Amino acid sequence: MSKDKKELKTSNLRVPSDLSSNATMDLSAALTTLLADVFTLYLKTKNFHWHMSGPHFRDYHLLLDEQAEQIFGMTDDIAERVRKIGGTTLRSVGHAARLHRLSDNDADFVTPDDMLAELHDDNKRLTGFLRETHELADEHRDVATASLIENWIDEAERRSWFLFETGRKRG
């Protein structure tokens, strides 16, 4: 497809916003990358939920299911925020795969302790990504995006805390 036709089709998706075009471009890119990370964390959390084993199976299985549900709950809000400010967001799994910064885990077996530790680290990294995106929203005076992110930071910190305490070695 020619560049002109692509621009015309994309212009059909533009939504008026009081944010500058630079703000829309910067925030849309940051939020779309964040969305790719959130999908990656969601799938990893579900993977570990499905493949949990061991003496604490029930507790860990339920914890990860609860966390996965919370993580998935962010996805629509992130994507819709991008659209509200006039941008476009993820279109495919391939698009998400090109953008995500969190690592996948397709190992045949992961110990429960390693699962909890990996998810703890990923949630901490996600918190960092959220803080960076919050700073960008602040720079562009986008209080609505910043407000949403503040709640997601709190949720990610809570998940990190629970994963840390659940995986804490007793001695």
Side-chain angles (χ1 to χ4, degrees), residues 7-81:
E7 285 178 12
L8 178 61
K9 287 185 180 216
T10 303
S11 71
N12 289 335
L13 292 174
R14 287 203 182 106
V15 175
S17 171
D18 66 339
L19 296 172
S20 71
S21 59
N22 284 343
T24 295
M25 186 174 58
D26 292 349
L27 288 164
S28 294
L31 288 167
T32 297
T33 301
L34 187 65
L35 181 58
D37 289 324
V38 170
F39 273 121
T40 300
L41 182 58
Y42 167 75
L43 190 55
K44 184 186 284 186
T45 303
K46 286 304 277 190
N47 169 23
F48 290 169
H49 160 81
W50 295 322
H51 294 100
M52 184 54 69
S53 62
H56 301 288
F57 168 79
R58 180 173 168 68
D59 291 337
Y60 295 172
H61 184 77
L62 294 174
L63 173 69
L64 297 184
D65 197 36
E66 176 186 296
Q67 290 193 355
E69 186 176 316
Q70 184 181 69
I71 294 163
F72 187 74
M74 295 169 61
T75 61
D76 202 45
D77 289 338
I78 295 170
E80 288 185 358
R81 185 68 199 149

Side-chain angles (χ1 to χ4, degrees), residues 80-162:
E80 288 185 358
R81 185 68 199 149
V82 173
R83 294 293 293 131
K84 286 177 200 174
I85 64 172
T88 59
T89 192
L90 292 179
R91 298 180 184 282
S92 67
V93 172
H95 189 185
R98 289 187 298 276
L99 295 177
H100 74 94
R101 297 164 289 190
L102 297 176
S103 62
D104 291 325
N105 186 324
D106 344 352
D108 290 336
F109 179 78
V110 181
T111 67
D113 286 344
D114 287 345
M115 288 178 183
L116 297 175
E118 190 169 332
L119 290 173
H120 171 258
D121 290 345
D122 285 345
N123 276 280
K124 280 179 53 178
R125 284 193 67 208
L126 181 66
T127 300
F129 300 150
L130 287 162
R131 289 184 198 287
E132 290 170 8
T133 308
H134 189 285
E135 288 175 16
L136 184 64
D138 284 346
E139 286 174 28
H140 289 293
R141 301 183 61 208
D142 181 0
V143 295
T145 297
S147 178
L148 287 168
I149 291 172
E150 289 164 3
N151 291 319
W152 298 329
I153 289 170
D154 184 57
E155 291 172 357
E157 288 175 335
R158 185 174 194 270
R159 288 191 304 271
S160 294
W161 171 39
F162 275 49

